[in-house]
């Protein structure tokens, strides 16, 4: 189970300039927002959640919302992602790997799930 997504950094920047913190709250919780020091990171988180929704085959929507996905960072700066308990159970997810990059105006994320 693998998913990939690309997000325009400018699109996230414009959303933030237009709607302020509410733009981030649409796809991130308070702890995730606290990790964002620059818009590239927010774009990476957007791509990561879209990629995670693809890795289970649903896309972002009713079954898997942005808020069913939680991103944290390890001490070394590496991101990690967890599905909600319900999604972990439904899709038999044992472990999730996430990698993010950003350059040239875009952020890209890949998510790989190991099944139980
Ligand atoms: C981590 C590293 C691979 C990032 O590569 P980069 O080309 O600078 O940046 P990219 O756009 O490809 O990736 C950035 C993303 O990588 C992820 N990342 C950061 N640290 C990471 C790590 N240790 N492991 C895996 N992923 C990491 C983050 O998601 C980061 O996005 P964020 O800054 O928005 O949180 C690179 O900085 C590196 O090799 N660092 C270790 C060595 C180092 O920091 N040396 C300098 C100080 S001694």
């Amino acid at each position: 189970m693998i998913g990939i997504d690309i997000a325009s950094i400018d699109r996230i920047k414009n959303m933030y300039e237009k709607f302020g913190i509410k733009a981030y709250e649409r796809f991130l919780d308070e702890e995730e927002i606290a990790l964002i020091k620059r818009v590239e990171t927010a774009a990476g988180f957007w791509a990561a959640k879209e990629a995670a929704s693809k890795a289970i085959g649903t896309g972002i929507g009713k079954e898997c919302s942005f808020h069913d996905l939680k991103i944290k960072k390890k001490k070394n700066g590496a991101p990690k992602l967890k599905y909600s308990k319900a999604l972990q159970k439904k899709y038999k997810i044992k472990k999730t790997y996430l990698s993010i990059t950003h350059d040239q105006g875009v952020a890209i994320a890949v998510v790989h799930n190991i099944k139980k």
Side-chain angles (χ1 to χ4, degrees), residues 67-70 82-93 116:
H67 295 285
D68 290 319
L69 304 164
K70 173 93 177 182
K82 266 200 174 175
Y83 292 82
S84 66
K85 284 268 177 294
L87 287 174
Q88 278 181 42
K89 200 171 164 199
K90 181 163 184 191
Y91 292 94
K92 301 183 170 53
I93 299 165
K116 275 183 189 147

Side-chain angles (χ1 to χ4, degrees), residues 38 41 73 76-79 100-102:
R38 55 197 188 125
T41 301
K73 279 190 148 201
N76 65 359
I100 296 174
T101 186
H102 36 66

Side-chain angles (χ1 to χ4, degrees), residues 35 38 40-42 44-45 73 75-79 98-103 106:
L35 298 174
R38 55 197 188 125
E40 285 85 345
T41 301
F45 283 10
K73 279 190 148 201
K75 277 205 184 90
N76 65 359
L98 164 65
S99 188
I100 296 174
T101 186
H102 36 66
D103 196 11
V106 295

